[in-house]
Amino acid sequence: MFTIFETYPWLLPLMIFFGRICDVTLGTLRIIFVSKGERYKAPIVGFFEVFIWVVIISQIFAHANSLIAYVAYAAGYAAGNYVGILVENRIAFGYQLLRVYTKKDVPELIKDLNKQKVIIYNLTVLILLKGF
């Protein structure tokens, strides 16, 4: 499929490594989209994820005797997990939930959290009366 790897054999492990990083990173994002119910984003990301994977795995099979290709595949997978986490943290697609039960003044707590750059999207205050 790619004759360039016969001319430049050092390019194959690089393509496998970086392709695998892209593939696994997209997989991380796809899982987040699926868990959030993003009906249109998840399939599009999944298409590119699998397309990259098929290209990479076809090169692995075409060069089945290359140990460096296997190492690049495994290293790309590991690095892809790391990059996927970094991208998710940067874009912040995931959910974070913080529940606070306090007897202190709620408006003051909100001010303190805002000073710490904590953004409050939904606030429910339940006042429990003493003796109930």
Side-chain angles (χ1 to χ4, degrees):
M1 182 174 170
F2 297 105
T3 58
I4 192 167
F5 299 128
E6 294 169 10
T7 309
Y8 305 103
W10 53 269
L11 228 97
L12 177 67
L14 287 176
M15 185 198 85
I16 291 171
F17 178 75
F18 288 110
R20 198 65 178 130
I21 288 175
C22 294
D23 161 36
V24 175
T25 301
L26 289 174
T28 302
L29 295 177
R30 180 186 51 80
I31 289 169
I32 292 167
F33 288 145
V34 167
S35 68
K36 287 183 67 179
E38 298 282 348
R39 293 182 190 167
Y40 301 109
K41 292 178 185 175
I44 292 169
V45 171
F47 171 83
F48 289 106
E49 173 194 359
V50 171
F51 182 78
I52 292 169
W53 182 83
V54 167
V55 170
I56 297 302
I57 205 71
S58 70
Q59 291 306 306
I60 291 284
F61 286 136
H63 300 88
N65 295 328
S66 175
L67 180 62
I68 193 74
Y70 296 135
V71 172
Y73 186 86
Y77 180 80
N81 281 300
Y82 181 75
V83 171
I85 291 169
L86 288 179
V87 168
E88 197 282 325
N89 285 338
R90 185 81 166 140
I91 298 175
F93 283 128
Y95 291 105
Q96 289 185 349
L97 173 65
L98 174 66
R99 290 183 188 204
V100 178
Y101 299 95
T102 182
K103 293 182 179 180
K104 298 190 179 202
D105 189 27
V106 174
E108 189 167 326
L109 175 64
I110 293 170
K111 287 179 191 173
D112 289 341
L113 289 173
N114 286 334
K115 285 179 187 174
Q116 298 296 320
K117 301 198 186 222
V118 175
I119 300 170
I120 300 172
Y121 291 107
N122 188 3
L123 178 67
T124 303
V125 178
L126 176 63
I127 301 172
L128 296 177
L129 300 175
K130 213 173 199 178
F132 284 96

